[in-house]
Amino acid sequence: MAVEHALFDGRPARGAPLLNGVEALEVMLAEADNDMTLSTIVAQAHMDIAWAWRGTGWDTQVPKRHRDAFDAHFDRARDILAPFEMRSCTSPILAAAKCALHGSGKSTPNQLAADYEKLIDLEPRNPGPMRAMGNYLSPRWFGTHAQLELEARRTASRTQHIWGAGAYTWVMFDALSGDDIACADLDLDFFVEGLHDILDRKPHQYTVNLLAAYCANTIGSNLTGYDPADQTRTRIAGCADWIVRKHLTELHPLIWAHAANGFDNNLRVRSARGFAAAGRAEALRIIADLFRREIAQGHRIIFTADGPVAEHS
């Protein structure tokens, strides 16, 4: 509960019982006799608490007290995981925790990329590590545009038999948000090919909603006035049209709500119901705009098991 409380607010409230929660986990850990799974869970809890203290702002915006707490929790997580170092080569959960440790900023970009490469090779069908690696390799965090591009291409090459070009898209997915240079330098044709390949290989509705909301909102609503980047954003936003028309059969409001807020994991959400309602309204607004021509001609849009269909009212 202490971890959830911290993450709910995006930063710990004054007097929040953080130590009580983590101390209970530490007691369980002490009684577990070096249990790898429990150790990984407790280490991840420390890292979650660390991020709750820090938030996702720039380093210069983080108060010293919060930064010290962030570092202390990451140091404890690192100590907990240290005895299992050799087993991270075969255990996805341990490899994921080891990768999460790079969030402390105490390793080199090459070390970060190498550890994420191992994790991705253990779980090549899971796009989560690809997205996380791309985010951390962006200049916003610990990498460079050149290294981001290199690792996106290397990951696409290693997973081509599973994702086609999709891994390039997954690695670039979060790194593009708010980064003019990354958008301007993007291999746009390769990225769009990846969108097609992802949906050809993983066509379930969670992914369809995720990609449609990302294209239309996360990218499409963030024009900055820098023409080379905005041209890329405009074309990516245009992909929402074929994604919705060809693939969308149901609406997942929470995904659209998260997309409208840049997929910020530290976002303060006071009401899940209100958040979902806002996501639904945003999705319907965007979808109505995609079908504005049909609607202007007097049609109504019906979503069927085969996708949206325009019918006369």
Side-chain angles (χ1 to χ4, degrees), residues 169-199:
T169 303
W170 284 130
V171 174
M172 289 294 187
F173 197 85
D174 297 284
L176 293 179
S177 180
D179 189 326
D180 279 347
I181 302 303
C183 285
D185 292 347
L186 182 71
D187 186 336
L188 186 53
D189 289 338
F190 198 18
F191 184 90
V192 173
E193 180 184 349
L195 290 174
H196 283 282
D197 286 348
I198 289 168
L199 291 173

PDB file of all heavy atoms in Angstrom, residues 169-199:
ATOM      1  N   THR A 169      10.087   0.099 -34.574  1.00  0.00           N
ATOM      2  CA  THR A 169       9.009   0.974 -34.118  1.00  0.00           C
ATOM      3  C   THR A 169       8.880   0.947 -32.607  1.00  0.00           C
ATOM      4  O   THR A 169       8.724   1.995 -31.963  1.00  0.00           O
ATOM      5  CB  THR A 169       7.686   0.544 -34.774  1.00  0.00           C
ATOM      6  OG1 THR A 169       7.852   0.576 -36.192  1.00  0.00           O
ATOM      7  CG2 THR A 169       6.544   1.451 -34.368  1.00  0.00           C
ATOM      8  N   TRP A 170       8.960  -0.242 -32.011  1.00  0.00           N
ATOM      9  CA  TRP A 170       8.830  -0.329 -30.555  1.00  0.00           C
ATOM     10  C   TRP A 170       9.968   0.412 -29.849  1.00  0.00           C
ATOM     11  O   TRP A 170       9.738   1.103 -28.847  1.00  0.00           O
ATOM     12  CB  TRP A 170       8.821  -1.786 -30.110  1.00  0.00           C
ATOM     13  CG  TRP A 170       7.555  -2.547 -30.330  1.00  0.00           C
ATOM     14  CD1 TRP A 170       7.422  -3.762 -30.932  1.00  0.00           C
ATOM     15  CD2 TRP A 170       6.223  -2.175 -29.925  1.00  0.00           C
ATOM     16  NE1 TRP A 170       6.110  -4.168 -30.941  1.00  0.00           N
ATOM     17  CE2 TRP A 170       5.347  -3.214 -30.322  1.00  0.00           C
ATOM     18  CE3 TRP A 170       5.687  -1.066 -29.272  1.00  0.00           C
ATOM     19  CZ2 TRP A 170       3.973  -3.175 -30.085  1.00  0.00           C
ATOM     20  CZ3 TRP A 170       4.311  -1.023 -29.035  1.00  0.00           C
ATOM     21  CH2 TRP A 170       3.480  -2.066 -29.439  1.00  0.00           C
ATOM     22  N   VAL A 171      11.199   0.273 -30.324  1.00  0.00           N
ATOM     23  CA  VAL A 171      12.319   0.950 -29.665  1.00  0.00           C
ATOM     24  C   VAL A 171      12.175   2.466 -29.775  1.00  0.00           C
ATOM     25  O   VAL A 171      12.461   3.210 -28.830  1.00  0.00           O
ATOM     26  CB  VAL A 171      13.668   0.481 -30.253  1.00  0.00           C
ATOM     27  CG1 VAL A 171      14.823   1.303 -29.676  1.00  0.00           C
ATOM     28  CG2 VAL A 171      13.897  -0.999 -29.957  1.00  0.00           C
ATOM     29  N   MET A 172      11.688   2.940 -30.911  1.00  0.00           N
ATOM     30  CA  MET A 172      11.536   4.380 -31.115  1.00  0.00           C
ATOM     31  C   MET A 172      10.273   4.949 -30.461  1.00  0.00           C
ATOM     32  O   MET A 172      10.137   6.168 -30.310  1.00  0.00           O
ATOM     33  CB  MET A 172      11.491   4.681 -32.620  1.00  0.00           C
ATOM     34  CG  MET A 172      12.824   4.491 -33.318  1.00  0.00           C
ATOM     35  SD  MET A 172      14.014   5.714 -32.705  1.00  0.00           S
ATOM     36  CE  MET A 172      15.392   5.442 -33.812  1.00  0.00           C
ATOM     37  N   PHE A 173       9.367   4.094 -30.069  1.00  0.00           N
ATOM     38  CA  PHE A 173       8.012   4.465 -29.672  1.00  0.00           C
ATOM     39  C   PHE A 173       7.987   5.615 -28.658  1.00  0.00           C
ATOM     40  O   PHE A 173       7.413   6.682 -28.909  1.00  0.00           O
ATOM     41  CB  PHE A 173       7.325   3.223 -29.094  1.00  0.00           C
ATOM     42  CG  PHE A 173       5.832   3.293 -29.011  1.00  0.00           C
ATOM     43  CD1 PHE A 173       5.051   2.963 -30.105  1.00  0.00           C
ATOM     44  CD2 PHE A 173       5.200   3.650 -27.835  1.00  0.00           C
ATOM     45  CE1 PHE A 173       3.669   2.996 -30.034  1.00  0.00           C
ATOM     46  CE2 PHE A 173       3.821   3.684 -27.748  1.00  0.00           C
ATOM     47  CZ  PHE A 173       3.056   3.357 -28.850  1.00  0.00           C
ATOM     48  N   ASP A 174       8.592   5.423 -27.499  1.00  0.00           N
ATOM     49  CA  ASP A 174       8.554   6.444 -26.448  1.00  0.00           C
ATOM     50  C   ASP A 174       9.639   7.495 -26.633  1.00  0.00           C
ATOM     51  O   ASP A 174       9.494   8.626 -26.154  1.00  0.00           O
ATOM     52  CB  ASP A 174       8.697   5.783 -25.077  1.00  0.00           C
ATOM     53  CG  ASP A 174       7.536   4.854 -24.777  1.00  0.00           C
ATOM     54  OD1 ASP A 174       6.445   5.347 -24.454  1.00  0.00           O
ATOM     55  OD2 ASP A 174       7.707   3.623 -24.893  1.00  0.00           O
ATOM     56  N   ALA A 175      10.706   7.130 -27.320  1.00  0.00           N
ATOM     57  CA  ALA A 175      11.808   8.070 -27.506  1.00  0.00           C
ATOM     58  C   ALA A 175      11.416   9.255 -28.387  1.00  0.00           C
ATOM     59  O   ALA A 175      12.000  10.334 -28.286  1.00  0.00           O
ATOM     60  CB  ALA A 175      13.009   7.349 -28.116  1.00  0.00           C
ATOM     61  N   LEU A 176      10.421   9.076 -29.255  1.00  0.00           N
ATOM     62  CA  LEU A 176      10.027  10.150 -30.171  1.00  0.00           C
ATOM     63  C   LEU A 176       9.240  11.258 -29.478  1.00  0.00           C
ATOM     64  O   LEU A 176       9.222  12.393 -29.938  1.00  0.00           O
ATOM     65  CB  LEU A 176       9.173   9.585 -31.310  1.00  0.00           C
ATOM     66  CG  LEU A 176       9.854   8.638 -32.292  1.00  0.00           C
ATOM     67  CD1 LEU A 176       8.848   8.172 -33.337  1.00  0.00           C
ATOM     68  CD2 LEU A 176      11.042   9.305 -32.963  1.00  0.00           C
ATOM     69  N   SER A 177       8.584  10.914 -28.396  1.00  0.00           N
ATOM     70  CA  SER A 177       7.691  11.871 -27.745  1.00  0.00           C
ATOM     71  C   SER A 177       8.468  13.083 -27.230  1.00  0.00           C
ATOM     72  O   SER A 177       9.343  12.971 -26.381  1.00  0.00           O
ATOM     73  CB  SER A 177       6.965  11.189 -26.584  1.00  0.00           C
ATOM     74  OG  SER A 177       6.096  12.086 -25.944  1.00  0.00           O
ATOM     75  N   GLY A 178       8.161  14.238 -27.777  1.00  0.00           N
ATOM     76  CA  GLY A 178       8.778  15.473 -27.307  1.00  0.00           C
ATOM     77  C   GLY A 178      10.205  15.697 -27.761  1.00  0.00           C
ATOM     78  O   GLY A 178      10.868  16.609 -27.264  1.00  0.00           O
ATOM     79  N   ASP A 179      10.705  14.899 -28.696  1.00  0.00           N
ATOM     80  CA  ASP A 179      12.099  15.030 -29.145  1.00  0.00           C
ATOM     81  C   ASP A 179      12.115  15.405 -30.626  1.00  0.00           C
ATOM     82  O   ASP A 179      11.925  14.554 -31.495  1.00  0.00           O
ATOM     83  CB  ASP A 179      12.844  13.715 -28.915  1.00  0.00           C
ATOM     84  CG  ASP A 179      14.353  13.840 -29.143  1.00  0.00           C
ATOM     85  OD1 ASP A 179      14.758  14.620 -30.022  1.00  0.00           O
ATOM     86  OD2 ASP A 179      15.111  13.140 -28.441  1.00  0.00           O
ATOM     87  N   ASP A 180      12.354  16.666 -30.909  1.00  0.00           N
ATOM     88  CA  ASP A 180      12.348  17.139 -32.292  1.00  0.00           C
ATOM     89  C   ASP A 180      13.416  16.463 -33.142  1.00  0.00           C
ATOM     90  O   ASP A 180      13.171  16.115 -34.304  1.00  0.00           O
ATOM     91  CB  ASP A 180      12.563  18.655 -32.331  1.00  0.00           C
ATOM     92  CG  ASP A 180      11.290  19.442 -32.060  1.00  0.00           C
ATOM     93  OD1 ASP A 180      10.203  18.833 -32.092  1.00  0.00           O
ATOM     94  OD2 ASP A 180      11.383  20.660 -31.817  1.00  0.00           O
ATOM     95  N   ILE A 181      14.607  16.289 -32.583  1.00  0.00           N
ATOM     96  CA  ILE A 181      15.704  15.719 -33.365  1.00  0.00           C
ATOM     97  C   ILE A 181      15.419  14.257 -33.689  1.00  0.00           C
ATOM     98  O   ILE A 181      15.634  13.799 -34.820  1.00  0.00           O
ATOM     99  CB  ILE A 181      17.041  15.855 -32.616  1.00  0.00           C
ATOM    100  CG1 ILE A 181      17.324  17.324 -32.302  1.00  0.00           C
ATOM    101  CG2 ILE A 181      18.176  15.264 -33.446  1.00  0.00           C
ATOM    102  CD1 ILE A 181      17.361  18.234 -33.515  1.00  0.00           C
ATOM    103  N   ALA A 182      14.933  13.502 -32.711  1.00  0.00           N
ATOM    104  CA  ALA A 182      14.610  12.095 -32.958  1.00  0.00           C
ATOM    105  C   ALA A 182      13.545  11.973 -34.036  1.00  0.00           C
ATOM    106  O   ALA A 182      13.614  11.091 -34.903  1.00  0.00           O
ATOM    107  CB  ALA A 182      14.146  11.430 -31.666  1.00  0.00           C
ATOM    108  N   CYS A 183      12.554  12.857 -34.005  1.00  0.00           N
ATOM    109  CA  CYS A 183      11.509  12.829 -35.034  1.00  0.00           C
ATOM    110  C   CYS A 183      12.077  13.197 -36.402  1.00  0.00           C
ATOM    111  O   CYS A 183      11.776  12.550 -37.409  1.00  0.00           O
ATOM    112  CB  CYS A 183      10.382  13.790 -34.664  1.00  0.00           C
ATOM    113  SG  CYS A 183       9.302  13.205 -33.344  1.00  0.00           S
ATOM    114  N   ALA A 184      12.890  14.234 -36.443  1.00  0.00           N
ATOM    115  CA  ALA A 184      13.437  14.693 -37.721  1.00  0.00           C
ATOM    116  C   ALA A 184      14.358  13.654 -38.349  1.00  0.00           C
ATOM    117  O   ALA A 184      14.401  13.509 -39.580  1.00  0.00           O
ATOM    118  CB  ALA A 184      14.185  16.007 -37.517  1.00  0.00           C
ATOM    119  N   ASP A 185      15.105  12.921 -37.514  1.00  0.00           N
ATOM    120  CA  ASP A 185      16.079  11.949 -38.018  1.00  0.00           C
ATOM    121  C   ASP A 185      15.490  10.554 -38.214  1.00  0.00           C
ATOM    122  O   ASP A 185      16.178   9.651 -38.695  1.00  0.00           O
ATOM    123  CB  ASP A 185      17.264  11.846 -37.047  1.00  0.00           C
ATOM    124  CG  ASP A 185      18.105  13.120 -37.028  1.00  0.00           C
ATOM    125  OD1 ASP A 185      17.927  13.958 -37.931  1.00  0.00           O
ATOM    126  OD2 ASP A 185      18.926  13.271 -36.106  1.00  0.00           O
ATOM    127  N   LEU A 186      14.243  10.363 -37.842  1.00  0.00           N
ATOM    128  CA  LEU A 186      13.626   9.037 -37.894  1.00  0.00           C
ATOM    129  C   LEU A 186      13.593   8.487 -39.317  1.00  0.00           C
ATOM    130  O   LEU A 186      13.319   9.216 -40.277  1.00  0.00           O
ATOM    131  CB  LEU A 186      12.191   9.131 -37.362  1.00  0.00           C
ATOM    132  CG  LEU A 186      11.392   7.828 -37.303  1.00  0.00           C
ATOM    133  CD1 LEU A 186      11.925   6.919 -36.199  1.00  0.00           C
ATOM    134  CD2 LEU A 186       9.900   8.121 -37.076  1.00  0.00           C
ATOM    135  N   ASP A 187      13.869   7.190 -39.444  1.00  0.00           N
ATOM    136  CA  ASP A 187      13.643   6.505 -40.719  1.00  0.00           C
ATOM    137  C   ASP A 187      12.138   6.249 -40.803  1.00  0.00           C
ATOM    138  O   ASP A 187      11.636   5.215 -40.359  1.00  0.00           O
ATOM    139  CB  ASP A 187      14.430   5.196 -40.759  1.00  0.00           C
ATOM    140  CG  ASP A 187      14.349   4.508 -42.116  1.00  0.00           C
ATOM    141  OD1 ASP A 187      13.378   4.744 -42.856  1.00  0.00           O
ATOM    142  OD2 ASP A 187      15.254   3.714 -42.429  1.00  0.00           O
ATOM    143  N   LEU A 188      11.429   7.199 -41.367  1.00  0.00           N
ATOM    144  CA  LEU A 188       9.975   7.204 -41.296  1.00  0.00           C
ATOM    145  C   LEU A 188       9.352   6.014 -42.017  1.00  0.00           C
ATOM    146  O   LEU A 188       8.402   5.395 -41.521  1.00  0.00           O
ATOM    147  CB  LEU A 188       9.440   8.523 -41.860  1.00  0.00           C
ATOM    148  CG  LEU A 188       7.944   8.779 -41.741  1.00  0.00           C
ATOM    149  CD1 LEU A 188       7.463   8.618 -40.309  1.00  0.00           C
ATOM    150  CD2 LEU A 188       7.620  10.186 -42.252  1.00  0.00           C
ATOM    151  N   ASP A 189       9.875   5.680 -43.187  1.00  0.00           N
ATOM    152  CA  ASP A 189       9.322   4.537 -43.922  1.00  0.00           C
ATOM    153  C   ASP A 189       9.484   3.245 -43.127  1.00  0.00           C
ATOM    154  O   ASP A 189       8.579   2.401 -43.097  1.00  0.00           O
ATOM    155  CB  ASP A 189      10.007   4.401 -45.282  1.00  0.00           C
ATOM    156  CG  ASP A 189       9.612   5.512 -46.250  1.00  0.00           C
ATOM    157  OD1 ASP A 189       8.539   6.114 -46.051  1.00  0.00           O
ATOM    158  OD2 ASP A 189      10.386   5.780 -47.192  1.00  0.00           O
ATOM    159  N   PHE A 190      10.630   3.087 -42.488  1.00  0.00           N
ATOM    160  CA  PHE A 190      10.888   1.896 -41.680  1.00  0.00           C
ATOM    161  C   PHE A 190       9.947   1.862 -40.477  1.00  0.00           C
ATOM    162  O   PHE A 190       9.405   0.813 -40.111  1.00  0.00           O
ATOM    163  CB  PHE A 190      12.351   1.906 -41.233  1.00  0.00           C
ATOM    164  CG  PHE A 190      12.887   0.580 -40.774  1.00  0.00           C
ATOM    165  CD1 PHE A 190      12.265  -0.616 -41.093  1.00  0.00           C
ATOM    166  CD2 PHE A 190      14.061   0.526 -40.017  1.00  0.00           C
ATOM    167  CE1 PHE A 190      12.777  -1.835 -40.671  1.00  0.00           C
ATOM    168  CE2 PHE A 190      14.586  -0.678 -39.590  1.00  0.00           C
ATOM    169  CZ  PHE A 190      13.938  -1.864 -39.915  1.00  0.00           C
ATOM    170  N   PHE A 191       9.732   3.020 -39.856  1.00  0.00           N
ATOM    171  CA  PHE A 191       8.845   3.115 -38.702  1.00  0.00           C
ATOM    172  C   PHE A 191       7.414   2.733 -39.080  1.00  0.00           C
ATOM    173  O   PHE A 191       6.753   1.960 -38.378  1.00  0.00           O
ATOM    174  CB  PHE A 191       8.883   4.537 -38.142  1.00  0.00           C
ATOM    175  CG  PHE A 191       8.086   4.735 -36.882  1.00  0.00           C
ATOM    176  CD1 PHE A 191       8.667   4.554 -35.636  1.00  0.00           C
ATOM    177  CD2 PHE A 191       6.751   5.119 -36.934  1.00  0.00           C
ATOM    178  CE1 PHE A 191       7.937   4.739 -34.466  1.00  0.00           C
ATOM    179  CE2 PHE A 191       6.010   5.307 -35.777  1.00  0.00           C
ATOM    180  CZ  PHE A 191       6.607   5.117 -34.541  1.00  0.00           C
ATOM    181  N   VAL A 192       6.929   3.271 -40.198  1.00  0.00           N
ATOM    182  CA  VAL A 192       5.558   2.973 -40.636  1.00  0.00           C
ATOM    183  C   VAL A 192       5.433   1.506 -41.053  1.00  0.00           C
ATOM    184  O   VAL A 192       4.423   0.851 -40.768  1.00  0.00           O
ATOM    185  CB  VAL A 192       5.143   3.917 -41.780  1.00  0.00           C
ATOM    186  CG1 VAL A 192       3.788   3.507 -42.354  1.00  0.00           C
ATOM    187  CG2 VAL A 192       5.093   5.363 -41.281  1.00  0.00           C
ATOM    188  N   GLU A 193       6.467   0.987 -41.703  1.00  0.00           N
ATOM    189  CA  GLU A 193       6.472  -0.444 -42.021  1.00  0.00           C
ATOM    190  C   GLU A 193       6.348  -1.262 -40.738  1.00  0.00           C
ATOM    191  O   GLU A 193       5.647  -2.282 -40.693  1.00  0.00           O
ATOM    192  CB  GLU A 193       7.762  -0.806 -42.753  1.00  0.00           C
ATOM    193  CG  GLU A 193       7.873  -2.278 -43.140  1.00  0.00           C
ATOM    194  CD  GLU A 193       9.213  -2.623 -43.778  1.00  0.00           C
ATOM    195  OE1 GLU A 193       9.981  -1.693 -44.117  1.00  0.00           O
ATOM    196  OE2 GLU A 193       9.495  -3.835 -43.925  1.00  0.00           O
ATOM    197  N   GLY A 194       7.017  -0.796 -39.688  1.00  0.00           N
ATOM    198  CA  GLY A 194       6.931  -1.478 -38.402  1.00  0.00           C
ATOM    199  C   GLY A 194       5.528  -1.456 -37.825  1.00  0.00           C
ATOM    200  O   GLY A 194       5.074  -2.445 -37.231  1.00  0.00           O
ATOM    201  N   LEU A 195       4.818  -0.346 -37.974  1.00  0.00           N
ATOM    202  CA  LEU A 195       3.428  -0.289 -37.514  1.00  0.00           C
ATOM    203  C   LEU A 195       2.586  -1.360 -38.202  1.00  0.00           C
ATOM    204  O   LEU A 195       1.800  -2.073 -37.557  1.00  0.00           O
ATOM    205  CB  LEU A 195       2.836   1.094 -37.796  1.00  0.00           C
ATOM    206  CG  LEU A 195       3.358   2.277 -36.975  1.00  0.00           C
ATOM    207  CD1 LEU A 195       2.763   3.581 -37.497  1.00  0.00           C
ATOM    208  CD2 LEU A 195       3.030   2.107 -35.490  1.00  0.00           C
ATOM    209  N   HIS A 196       2.749  -1.472 -39.517  1.00  0.00           N
ATOM    210  CA  HIS A 196       2.013  -2.499 -40.262  1.00  0.00           C
ATOM    211  C   HIS A 196       2.389  -3.900 -39.776  1.00  0.00           C
ATOM    212  O   HIS A 196       1.511  -4.751 -39.557  1.00  0.00           O
ATOM    213  CB  HIS A 196       2.309  -2.375 -41.758  1.00  0.00           C
ATOM    214  CG  HIS A 196       1.593  -1.254 -42.437  1.00  0.00           C
ATOM    215  ND1 HIS A 196       0.263  -1.331 -42.803  1.00  0.00           N
ATOM    216  CD2 HIS A 196       2.019  -0.019 -42.817  1.00  0.00           C
ATOM    217  CE1 HIS A 196      -0.099  -0.202 -43.394  1.00  0.00           C
ATOM    218  NE2 HIS A 196       0.946   0.613 -43.419  1.00  0.00           N
ATOM    219  N   ASP A 197       3.683  -4.132 -39.592  1.00  0.00           N
ATOM    220  CA  ASP A 197       4.134  -5.466 -39.192  1.00  0.00           C
ATOM    221  C   ASP A 197       3.646  -5.832 -37.791  1.00  0.00           C
ATOM    222  O   ASP A 197       3.287  -6.985 -37.527  1.00  0.00           O
ATOM    223  CB  ASP A 197       5.663  -5.548 -39.257  1.00  0.00           C
ATOM    224  CG  ASP A 197       6.177  -5.621 -40.685  1.00  0.00           C
ATOM    225  OD1 ASP A 197       5.357  -5.840 -41.599  1.00  0.00           O
ATOM    226  OD2 ASP A 197       7.402  -5.453 -40.890  1.00  0.00           O
ATOM    227  N   ILE A 198       3.639  -4.863 -36.884  1.00  0.00           N
ATOM    228  CA  ILE A 198       3.140  -5.128 -35.528  1.00  0.00           C
ATOM    229  C   ILE A 198       1.688  -5.587 -35.579  1.00  0.00           C
ATOM    230  O   ILE A 198       1.305  -6.587 -34.957  1.00  0.00           O
ATOM    231  CB  ILE A 198       3.277  -3.870 -34.643  1.00  0.00           C
ATOM    232  CG1 ILE A 198       4.750  -3.605 -34.315  1.00  0.00           C
ATOM    233  CG2 ILE A 198       2.475  -4.030 -33.350  1.00  0.00           C
ATOM    234  CD1 ILE A 198       4.994  -2.240 -33.687  1.00  0.00           C
ATOM    235  N   LEU A 199       0.869  -4.873 -36.336  1.00  0.00           N
ATOM    236  CA  LEU A 199      -0.554  -5.195 -36.372  1.00  0.00           C
ATOM    237  C   LEU A 199      -0.837  -6.445 -37.197  1.00  0.00           C
ATOM    238  O   LEU A 199      -1.837  -7.127 -36.954  1.00  0.00           O
ATOM    239  CB  LEU A 199      -1.342  -3.998 -36.908  1.00  0.00           C
ATOM    240  CG  LEU A 199      -1.362  -2.814 -35.936  1.00  0.00           C
ATOM    241  CD1 LEU A 199      -2.000  -1.594 -36.582  1.00  0.00           C
ATOM    242  CD2 LEU A 199      -2.098  -3.173 -34.651  1.00  0.00           C
TER     243      LEU A 199
END
